[in-house]
């Protein structure tokens, strides 16, 4: 059947459904008024972008979950949670030492000044596997959040962090990250 006939039937079906709903009183005053809801939470999305080497499906899921938890924990402590104290717990000791020197980049010292709300949370993982085991991950990170005290700023964190399993736990051992913040106008 040509595509134009399918579209015509689909449009006809939409008109019929709309007519039936209108006739049954879906828009009548007897229905309770819709209550506006709070904005839904912003999803935290972790994707496997590439896997170099052989890695089973269960192992892929495990790496995605474990590395995703590490990155999310760092983001929460460093950018999204006011009053966080152990900002670089997800880093190896050597990387944590360097990160403390780059704290203005790898954390947001102004997050305690007001409300912080994530707008976008996306992590793409490139995994290196050897003999069926993940031995390294590069996480491409995309975090956008709003912070407000007296004015609202939109901040973005992007770049890469490199992770390695140490003692059965994934840790960040390297980073190439940028962070920018810009004032936002009301309603944008």
């Amino acid at each position: 059947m040509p595509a134009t006939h399918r579209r015509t039937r689909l449009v006809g079906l939409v008109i019929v459904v709309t007519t039936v709903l209108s006739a049954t009183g879906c828009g009548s005053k007897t229905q309770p008024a819709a209550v506006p809801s709070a904005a839904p939470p912003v999803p935290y999305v972790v994707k496997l972008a590439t896997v170099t080497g052989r890695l089973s499906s269960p192992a892929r899921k495990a790496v995605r979950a474990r590395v995703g938890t590490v990155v999310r924990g760092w983001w929460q402590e460093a950018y999204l949670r006011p009053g966080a104290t152990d900002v670089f717990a997800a880093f190896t000791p050597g990387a944590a030492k360097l990160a403390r020197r780059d704290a203005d980049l790898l954390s947001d010292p102004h997050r305690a000044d007001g409300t912080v709300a994530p707008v976008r949370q996306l992590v793409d993982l490139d995994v290196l596997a050897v003999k069926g085991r993940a031995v390294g991950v590069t996480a491409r990170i995309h975090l956008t959040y709003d912070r407000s005290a007296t004015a609202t700023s939109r901040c973005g964190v992007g770049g890469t962090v490199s992770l390695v399993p140490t003692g059965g736990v994934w840790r960040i051992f390297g980073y190439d990250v940028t962070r920018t913040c810009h004032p936002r106008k009301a309603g944008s």
Side-chain angles (χ1 to χ4, degrees), residues 56-120:
S56 69
S57 181
R60 289 172 185 240
K61 289 178 184 175
V63 167
R64 188 175 144 259
R66 290 178 183 146
V67 171
T69 299
V70 170
V71 172
R72 185 176 204 173
W74 165 52
W75 282 357
Q76 289 292 319
E77 296 298 308
Y79 301 106
L80 303 175
R81 184 178 298 138
T85 56
D86 198 3
V87 174
F88 303 117
F91 289 64
T92 62
K97 184 177 180 180
L98 293 174
R100 284 185 194 91
R101 285 191 264 167
D102 293 330
D104 60 332
L105 172 69
L106 297 170
S107 67
D108 187 343
H110 301 289
R111 69 187 179 283
D113 296 345
T115 303
V116 180
V119 175
R120 179 180 181 218

Side-chain angles (χ1 to χ4, degrees), residues 10 14 17 20 33-34 50 59 64 68 95 128 164 166 179 185-188:
L10 181 61
V14 170
V17 171
V20 169
T50 60
R64 188 175 144 259
L128 174 62
V164 65
T166 59
R179 182 176 69 84
K185 297 177 184 173
S188 62

Side-chain angles (χ1 to χ4, degrees), residues 58 102 133 144:
D102 293 330
R133 287 188 25 236
T144 305

Side-chain angles (χ1 to χ4, degrees), residues 47-52 60 125-128 140:
K47 297 178 184 176
L48 283 180
T50 60
V51 176
T52 302
R60 289 172 185 240
L125 304 179
D126 296 325
V127 181
L128 174 62
R140 288 177 276 131

Side-chain angles (χ1 to χ4, degrees), residues 4-34:
T4 56
H5 288 102
R6 278 182 268 183
R7 275 189 239 129
T8 304
R9 286 186 181 177
L10 181 61
V11 170
L13 179 61
V14 170
I15 292 171
V16 169
V17 171
T18 305
T19 304
V20 169
L21 290 175
S22 296
T24 59
C26 283
S28 72
K29 292 181 183 177
T30 60
Q31 296 290 326

Side-chain angles (χ1 to χ4, degrees), residues 133-160:
R133 287 188 25 236
V135 296
V137 173
T138 298
R140 288 177 276 131
I141 58 173
H142 314 276
L143 171 65
T144 305
Y145 61 97
D146 289 339
R147 68 174 186 213
S148 62
T150 56
T152 299
S153 295
R154 173 142 302 168
C155 300
V157 180
T160 60

